[in-house]
Amino acid sequence: MVIKNNIKAIKEELSAFSYKLVAVSKTQPIERLQEAYDAGQRIFGENKAQELALKYKALPKDIEWHMIGHLQTNKVKYIAPFVALIHSIDSIKLLEEVDKQGKKVNRKISCLLQVHIAKEETKFGFDLKEVKELMNSQELNNFSHVEIKGLMGMATFTENQEQIRNEFSLINQLFQKLKTQKLPTNVEMKELSIGMSADYKIAIEEGSTIVRVGTAIFGARNYN
Ligand SMILES: *Cc1c(COP(=O)(O)O)cnc(C)c1O
């Protein structure tokens, strides 16, 4: 009941907006995902390819699976046949591998470019300038089995709400600007994936179209 009520509370809080809710189920056992599924949730996000593939096998087939964490190139093959969206494209090398695996399974794989907006060294992604350069180059036209659907970002892990808002605003400005621009043929600026449990409300106010919420749905994660 707790999971169901949590999902309901988030939807009520965000009822004035249109967005997609990704239930971030990393480390959570199958029963808890099933509980969210029974409450009507159909989009789940995981940050490890093999865990994602195992859960895909165990759960109903109408679930949309999103890869949200740093993805190693040698793991792409585990999710390529079915993944609905990879949020975490953080290098051209990874995009090449996704394209290669997409060819193998004859699918165009939807992806977001992860943009580095946090004031932290550890967060993966392209910086704003690199994204602009990429959009003005021909490079992405080489990928026949990849479709770029937008951008993803993670704010700095901080209590400072203004800083979080500024970082989200920065990526939204880039997102909005690219929307008005001529883009490579396999690129479309449709989705902006920003916002997690602590900051989804701010993210939605700053233009998010996809929020990735774990703890606020499932409670604290157990990493043991
Ligand atoms: C874990 C994770 C989330 C969800 O975090 P919560 O704070 O539990 O909502 C969102 N996005 C990414 C990339 C994550 O790794």
Side-chain angles (χ1 to χ4, degrees):
M1 272 309 275
V2 175
I3 289 173
K4 185 178 180 178
N5 290 340
N6 288 345
I7 292 173
K8 194 163 158 249
I10 293 166
K11 288 188 173 165
E12 275 168 13
E13 192 184 354
L14 301 180
S15 63
F17 301 90
S18 110
Y19 65 96
K20 284 183 196 152
L21 174 63
V22 177
V24 176
S25 48
K26 61 193 189 195
T27 77
Q28 302 293 347
I30 296 291
E31 309 82 71
R32 294 179 68 78
L33 279 75
Q34 183 69 50
E35 202 178 323
Y37 181 89
D38 293 340
Q41 182 64 29
R42 290 295 180 272
I43 310 177
F44 290 84
E46 292 279 335
N47 69 340
K48 293 205 165 75
Q50 278 141 309
E51 185 175 343
L52 195 161
L54 284 173
K55 286 173 171 171
Y56 164 76
K57 287 196 186 90
L59 284 157
K61 290 297 164 285
D62 60 341
I63 291 175
E64 235 185 66
W65 291 97
H66 290 206
M67 177 67 195
I68 62 166
H70 176 61
L71 179 57
Q72 289 169 274
T73 49
N74 61 348
K75 304 281 171 64
V76 176
K77 58 178 182 279
Y78 297 116
I79 60 172
F82 63 87
V83 69
L85 184 64
I86 301 175
H87 292 229
S88 42
I89 298 294
D90 54 12
S91 70
I92 294 295
K93 191 171 141 246
L94 177 57
L95 209 54
E96 276 165 8
E97 180 63 19
V98 172
D99 188 55
K100 185 176 141 195
Q101 295 298 331
K103 271 183 198 133
K104 269 193 194 163
V105 296
N106 195 25
R107 290 186 74 215
K108 290 191 179 191
I109 300 179
S110 294
C111 298
L112 305 178
L113 297 179
Q114 183 167 351
V115 185
H116 183 264
I117 50 171
K119 291 195 174 44
E120 286 162 7
E121 286 300 318
T122 51
K123 299 264 160 83
F124 293 98
F126 298 95
D127 59 36
L128 297 159
K129 190 162 161 273
E130 286 173 321
V131 175
K132 284 181 204 156
E133 283 167 4
L134 208 51
M135 293 302 161
N136 289 317
S137 77
Q138 296 301 313
E139 208 172 346
L140 293 176
N141 290 324
N142 299 329
F143 302 116
S144 58
H145 286 72
V146 162
E147 284 177 338
I148 308 284
K149 299 287 190 188
L151 307 177
M152 179 271 215
M154 283 170 91
T156 303
F157 186 70
T158 172
E159 301 275 291
N160 184 338
Q161 310 274 300
E162 271 322 292
Q163 183 179 348
I164 293 171
R165 189 178 291 280
N166 288 340
E167 291 173 2
F168 285 158
S169 169
L170 215 61
I171 190 173
N172 187 35
Q173 281 167 39
L174 174 63
F175 179 68
Q176 299 300 337
K177 182 167 183 288
L178 292 176
K179 268 189 173 192
T180 66
Q181 196 176 308
K182 186 166 175 354
L183 299 168
T185 48
N186 51 357
V187 180
E188 179 188 15
M189 283 296 135
K190 194 163 167 258
E191 306 289 0
L192 179 62
S193 168
I194 50 173
M196 315 187 354
S197 292
D199 53 27
Y200 62 75
K201 190 71 195 296
I202 304 176
I204 286 281
E205 288 165 3
E206 296 300 329
S208 175
T209 69
I210 307 182
V211 291
R212 311 177 308 268
V213 181
T215 324
I217 292 176
F218 295 104
R221 283 180 286 273
N222 181 352
Y223 281 99
N224 298 318

